[in-house]
Amino acid sequence: GTGLGGGVVLDGKPFVGAHGVGSEVGHMMLVLGGVRCTCGNRGCWERYASATALIRMGREAAKAHPKSALNASIDNMTAKAVVDAAKAGDAAATEVFDRYTYFIALGLVNIVNFLDPEIIALGGGVSAAGEFLLKPVREKLKAMVFYKDMPYARVELAKLGNDAGIIGAAMLGRI
């Protein structure tokens, strides 16, 4: 959907935790007193690094910058509209997208520093931005990782794209 989910695979098997709810990465709290989340908490990663977050930030930027290209779609804002405006060089959209990729990298660095995964695959609709998304996320992550002189997780696009979540959910039923 439009939230932020995740999954951890250890030794070829999905990790679900002691109570079956492991890997709920979208609800890592990253911003003290941040935006209220649908879960009731504030500052969850999902509220800053999901498609819904990008849409919210795009609308906020459109209101703050009346001359921005984002205003053309303010009533029907989509993540793609924000990405397209940023790709076209719109200053407000570029600022939004830079902030958005910062928050993606912020959550990822917590995962990298905690789990030291081999690879992180980004999926969902926004991943259709391809290298436009990957490049700034990789650069920001590189600046944030704790062990600067050691290898760390590769960040790639999920091969299943926007279908990754539904396929992952189906695979959980096989355990």
Side-chain angles (χ1 to χ4, degrees):
T2 54
L4 194 154
V8 175
V9 178
L10 296 173
D11 296 324
K13 296 177 186 158
F15 171 77
V16 296
H19 304 98
V21 293
S23 305
E24 191 55 72
V25 297
H27 295 284
M28 289 190 300
M29 290 181 263
L30 299 182
V31 178
L32 180 64
V35 175
R36 183 167 300 279
C37 184
T38 56
C39 74
N41 288 316
R42 291 187 171 274
C44 291
W45 191 24
E46 178 170 291
R47 299 305 289 160
Y48 296 89
S50 64
T52 302
L54 186 56
I55 292 165
R56 184 191 76 247
M57 291 188 283
R59 280 191 183 122
E60 290 167 356
K63 289 176 186 171
H65 303 279
K67 293 183 181 180
S68 169
L70 293 171
N71 281 288
S73 57
I74 193 166
D75 293 328
N76 195 20
M77 186 70 65
T78 64
K80 184 178 183 321
V82 177
V83 171
D84 289 347
K87 281 182 178 179
D90 180 82
T94 299
E95 185 179 318
V96 166
F97 197 72
D98 182 62
R99 184 170 185 241
Y100 177 73
T101 58
Y102 165 79
F103 280 114
I104 292 173
L106 183 60
L108 294 181
V109 77
N110 282 292
I111 293 168
V112 167
N113 289 341
F114 180 67
L115 292 175
D116 186 27
E118 181 179 353
I119 188 167
I120 295 173
L122 301 179
V126 181
S127 69
E131 283 298 318
F132 189 74
L133 173 70
L134 283 179
K135 185 176 186 238
V137 168
R138 287 172 174 158
E139 288 171 356
K140 290 171 175 78
L141 179 61
K142 182 178 183 178
M144 292 180 197
V145 293
F146 182 69
Y147 293 105
K148 305 274 189 229
D149 297 328
M150 293 180 66
Y152 58 91
R154 290 186 348 261
V155 178
E156 303 292 342
L157 295 176
K159 291 186 176 65
L160 300 174
N162 207 24
D163 293 332
I166 192 74
I167 292 169
M171 294 301 288
L172 276 175
R174 298 182 73 193
I175 3 183

